Amino acid sequence: MVFEMDVVLDAPLAADCLSEAAYWLYFASPNIARFYIDPVERRRVHVWSLAEDEESEMDRKVRMTLARFAQSTNVIDAVPRRVGIESSGEDVRGADPAGAADAGLVRRLGLADTEIGELMTALARGFDDEFRRLGTSMGACEREYSTLLPIEFFEKCHYFDAFPQNIMYPTMMQTDVDAAEKFSDYTVNHRGRPPRDYSGFQERTHVLAPAACFHVYMANEEKTLEGNTLVTTRGTCYRYEGRNASTLERLWDFQMREIVYLGSRQFVRDCRDETQERVLRLVEQWGLSGVVEAGHDPFFLRGERPECELDPDAKFELRLDLPYRDADSACASFNISGTFFGSTSNIMLSDGGTAWTGCTAFGLERWAWAAVMQHGTNPARWPHGLRAVLEGAR
């Protein structure tokens, strides 16, 4: 049975934070079945709850979750919010999730398990090739990194302060034969089902990387850069999305290409601006449509942090349209983290100053998903530029 209740907030939510507020609400309580945020007054949240006797607790949890989205005073709120990208296509007939599934492009296997078909896989690979070439044409060297990162590095970065709900840990068995035998015996006696609450695992020492850029910063810890530095890397990233997981828009594990820049303040700003300008030209070339918005979730702007310089225009997002649900999806971000990572990782410049850093990031599956949702499942009907991306990957 589902029970309904209203939560009336003390202050209205910031108009440009409604989508992010909705995202975080599903992390407020496992008993939230669904919810509705009044988009006009932005103070009333109607909640459908799975627990009748939790009304006061649900009210508290919803308020606590949404408190940081009340009429934000974030330093980047003053940045103009939207820049339109006009679609170059005419009479475009896009797709929806059911059509993509029928065409064999994607298949949902479970909450966190997705099979991505050949066409979508090739298209994501084609986008990655384009973004890798963008980075190398600017002078970026290519690097590959492992998936795991030590907890100590994330402690220094204060990542746990901001996004604890998204963190995913690997779990390893203790290096003890008795612990292994106990686990194995239980599994054998339960027809292959392992114990769910087994205590014989090691203490958590690593996290699964939530973004590709962290490896670059850790690789440059305690270093003095010889000069301005550009690195491009691709990796599998992990973020627990809970019930926010949806087709290829949000996956628990996904492919990310990043162009990471380390050096002087001007160099980092120039790299961020150049990558953004060039990506927007590619979007037009490929016949895609969307908007660029100032982002509100650069985690290094929240909570306790070391003394560092920050840029007032810290983050922009490119959100590509998803016509089937009259919405959009963040497919790229253009970020300046100031001297935050330079300070936490002690990355220095040759002149003795602290390095500035920034990155441009691409969620590859999201690009492929948005392209198909805008232009359909038949590549023959795609704009020429988008077909070229696919053909280049085959």
Side-chain angles (χ1 to χ4, degrees):
M1 182 175 290
V2 177
F3 306 93
E4 300 183 40
M5 60 175 290
D6 276 328
V7 178
V8 180
L9 305 176
D10 296 330
L13 299 171
D16 50 7
C17 289
L18 287 182
S19 60
E20 190 179 354
Y23 168 76
W24 284 104
L25 257 183
Y26 272 124
F27 290 105
S29 168
N31 288 320
I32 292 180
R34 60 192 178 100
F35 57 84
Y36 171 80
I37 301 175
D38 180 352
V40 180
E41 295 187 358
R42 306 190 303 279
R43 289 187 60 183
R44 184 179 66 86
V45 183
H46 191 75
V47 178
W48 286 261
S49 172
L50 300 176
E52 182 180 23
D53 59 351
E54 194 194 42
E55 186 165 331
S56 61
E57 267 298 280
M58 181 66 75
D59 184 273
R60 181 185 67 82
K61 290 181 177 181
V62 169
R63 290 175 181 275
M64 183 170 68
T65 301
L66 297 181
R68 66 180 179 182
F69 300 110
Q71 298 296 14
S72 175
T73 58
N74 193 308
V75 294
I76 57 177
D77 277 352
V79 177
R81 295 292 301 167
R82 301 180 66 89
V83 179
I85 305 167
E86 297 297 332
S87 172
S88 62
E90 295 182 3
D91 191 27
V92 175
R93 299 180 63 183
D96 58 22
D102 291 343
L105 273 62
V106 64
R107 183 162 65 110
R108 188 77 172 268
L109 303 178
L111 179 60
D113 309 301
T114 303
E115 178 184 71
I116 303 175
E118 182 178 359
L119 176 64
M120 199 75 81
T121 299
L123 183 55
R125 185 168 63 249
F127 281 127
D128 182 50
D129 289 341
E130 294 281 350
F131 301 139
R132 177 184 56 81
R133 282 193 290 268
L134 190 159
T136 56
S137 71
M138 294 174 61
C141 59
E142 292 188 67
R143 294 288 185 270
E144 291 187 2
Y145 301 95
S146 57
T147 295
L148 302 182
L149 285 161
I151 281 179
E152 290 82 2
F153 180 77
F154 274 73
E155 289 173 348
K156 289 194 299 184
C157 296
H158 297 276
Y159 188 87
F160 297 110
D161 300 352
F163 293 133
Q165 293 93 331
N166 288 142
I167 297 165
M168 296 179 70
Y169 295 95
T171 304
M172 291 80 72
M173 185 73 65
Q174 292 179 7
T175 52
D176 181 274
V177 66
D178 293 332
E181 282 297 303
K182 182 179 178 181
F183 186 92
S184 180
D185 288 345
Y186 181 99
T187 304
V188 169
N189 293 330
H190 290 79
R191 297 184 178 183
R193 182 183 183 275
R196 296 295 196 264
D197 57 352
Y198 184 61
S199 61
F201 292 108
Q202 295 184 32
E203 179 184 352
R204 293 167 179 164
T205 59
H206 288 74
V207 297
L208 295 165
C213 60
F214 292 113
H215 293 285
V216 179
Y217 303 137
M218 191 175 74
N220 285 279
E221 274 190 303
E222 307 297 332
K223 287 187 177 181
T224 297
L225 302 177
E226 295 181 2
N228 292 323
T229 302
L230 270 169
V231 176
T232 185
T233 185
R234 169 179 169 160
T236 302
C237 300
Y238 300 82
R239 297 177 190 174
Y240 175 65
E241 295 288 359
R243 282 175 290 166
N244 285 300
S246 173
T247 57
L248 299 191
E249 292 178 51
R250 289 193 181 275
L251 298 168
W252 288 17
D253 60 295
F254 56 95
Q255 296 298 307
M256 180 182 289
R257 163 70 61 182
E258 292 209 45
I259 303 169
V260 186
Y261 17 99
L262 309 87
S264 69
R265 178 175 188 163
Q266 192 60 52
F267 173 75
V268 167
R269 281 182 166 177
D270 290 346
C271 286
R272 197 278 295 276
D273 293 345
E274 180 177 350
T275 55
Q276 180 170 311
E277 180 181 339
R278 291 177 63 173
V279 169
L280 296 188
R281 288 203 299 265
L282 288 173
V283 166
E284 294 175 353
Q285 177 182 319
W286 297 334
L288 300 176
S289 62
V291 296
V292 175
E293 295 184 345
H296 283 74
D297 65 344
F299 71 86
F300 43 81
L301 292 181
R302 294 182 183 150
E304 181 185 352
R305 60 177 185 261
E307 289 296 325
C308 59
E309 294 181 82
L310 298 175
D311 194 281
D313 300 335
K315 177 172 184 172
F316 292 95
E317 286 184 337
L318 169 62
R319 306 186 65 90
L320 295 180
D321 293 335
L322 299 175
Y324 74 91
R325 63 181 185 89
D326 192 25
D328 51 39
S329 176
C331 293
S333 63
F334 311 91
N335 311 282
I336 297 177
S337 45
T339 62
F340 178 84
F341 288 108
S343 297
T344 58
S345 299
N346 196 29
I347 306 171
M348 305 301 294
L349 301 175
S350 58
D351 64 5
T354 303
W356 276 61
T357 65
C359 64
T360 296
F362 308 94
L364 300 176
E365 293 92 346
R366 291 188 184 185
W367 278 83
W369 183 251
V372 170
M373 293 303 100
Q374 289 188 28
H375 293 291
T377 61
N378 182 1
R381 296 178 58 90
W382 291 358
H384 172 75
L386 188 58
R387 291 200 307 272
V389 173
L390 178 64
E391 292 163 2
R394 287 178 162 175

